[in-house]
């Protein structure tokens, strides 16, 4: 059993996954057991929302409000997390419940430039219906942690990244109030 998991894991992160993503995008059948169910479901939602896979076209939504209970509670913790990751090319991102980026903290200029180039920046929404499968939008959509690696991203320009997002739930109401995401290079 571990042999199958190993080959599936290897295939899932490489060329077979890229080929299956391409098959999906041109409406051909995806090979069984080569794409995680969570990712395939997200690809279908992205396609239904008519998200472009070959480009990222996001409009600036609004200036982030950094004076909210969410930001006042989360930002000090996220700053400590960022400090503990010092020297690593990892971005720590906070969004609101709609996937609008409120804050992005990174220590790597190349990663920052890339994230700016794909509008993963304060004021832009990374909800699934805006940019397709990604750590932030998928976590918010399914209501639980989501990790999206390389070719699992719906948008081609995100394939160099790996993301892990988790929704933030209000401690009393349980309502989703935002998300925290860690994004780094796929490699």
């Amino acid at each position: 059993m571990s042999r199958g998991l190993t080959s599936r894991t290897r295939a899932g992160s490489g060329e077979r996954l890229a080929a299956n993503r391409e098959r999906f995008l041109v409406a051909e059948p995806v090979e069984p057991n080569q794409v995680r169910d969570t990712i395939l479901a997200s690809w279908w939602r992205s396609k239904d929302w008519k998200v472009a896979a070959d480009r990222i076209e996001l409009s600036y939504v609004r200036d982030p409000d950094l004076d909210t209970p969410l930001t006042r509670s989360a930002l000090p913790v996220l700053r400590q997390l960022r400090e503990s990751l010092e020297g690593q090319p990892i971005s720590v991102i906070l969004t609101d419940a709609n996937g609008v980026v409120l804050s992005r903290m990174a220590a790597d200029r190349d990663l920052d430039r890339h994230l700016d180039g794909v509008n993963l920046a304060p004021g832009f929404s990374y909800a699934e219906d805006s940019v397709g499968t990604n750590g932030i939008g998928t976590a918010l959509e399914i209501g639980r942690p989501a990790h999206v690696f390389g070719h699992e991203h719906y948008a081609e320009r995100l394939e160099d990244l790996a993301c892990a997002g988790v929704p933030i739930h209000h401690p009393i109401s349980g309502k989703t109030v935002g998300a925290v995401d860690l994004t780094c290079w796929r490699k």
Side-chain angles (χ1 to χ4, degrees):
M1 181 158 192
S2 65
R3 185 172 171 248
L5 180 60
T6 303
S7 68
R8 199 175 322 144
T9 301
R10 223 179 292 127
S13 64
E15 296 306 312
R16 281 184 98 164
L17 180 58
N20 277 292
R21 179 183 168 278
E22 188 67 31
R23 278 189 169 116
F24 177 84
L25 293 173
V26 296
E28 292 179 7
V30 172
E31 289 180 74
N33 301 317
Q34 295 302 310
V35 180
R36 293 185 291 137
D37 292 342
T38 302
I39 298 302
L40 191 56
S42 176
W43 287 355
W44 278 110
R45 287 190 300 272
S46 301
K47 191 175 228 180
D48 289 345
W49 284 317
K50 298 181 183 1
V51 174
D54 61 341
R55 64 192 175 283
I56 293 178
E57 296 178 338
L58 299 177
S59 298
Y60 188 78
V61 177
R62 66 179 173 276
D63 288 338
D65 182 1
L66 298 181
D67 188 25
T68 66
L70 171 64
T71 54
R72 287 191 302 271
S73 300
L75 287 177
V77 175
L78 296 179
R79 284 187 193 103
Q80 284 182 332
L81 173 61
R82 181 64 227 136
E83 287 174 18
S84 72
L85 297 169
E86 191 61 40
Q88 301 297 315
I90 299 172
S91 186
V92 178
I93 300 163
L94 176 67
T95 76
D96 68 12
N98 297 313
V100 175
V101 177
L102 301 173
S103 173
R104 183 184 84 202
M105 298 173 238
D108 182 80
R109 273 186 270 168
D110 289 336
L111 181 59
D112 261 350
R113 265 194 300 275
H114 185 72
L115 297 179
D116 285 344
V118 295
N119 294 327
L120 184 43
F124 291 91
S125 175
Y126 254 67
E128 256 189 8
D129 63 357
S130 297
V131 76
T133 308
N134 72 90
I136 294 165
T138 302
L140 288 169
E141 191 63 36
I142 65 175
R144 63 181 189 276
H147 53 278
V148 180
F149 301 106
H151 301 294
E152 291 179 329
H153 287 92
Y154 191 77
E156 183 176 294
R157 293 206 44 219
L158 300 178
E159 290 180 307
D160 288 340
L161 301 172
C163 310
V166 63
I168 302 168
H169 301 284
H170 188 278
I172 297 171
S173 71
K175 179 181 174 187
T176 300
V177 295
V180 172
D181 175 77
L182 299 179
T183 294
C184 63
W185 297 112
R186 175 183 66 188
K187 59 185 174 181

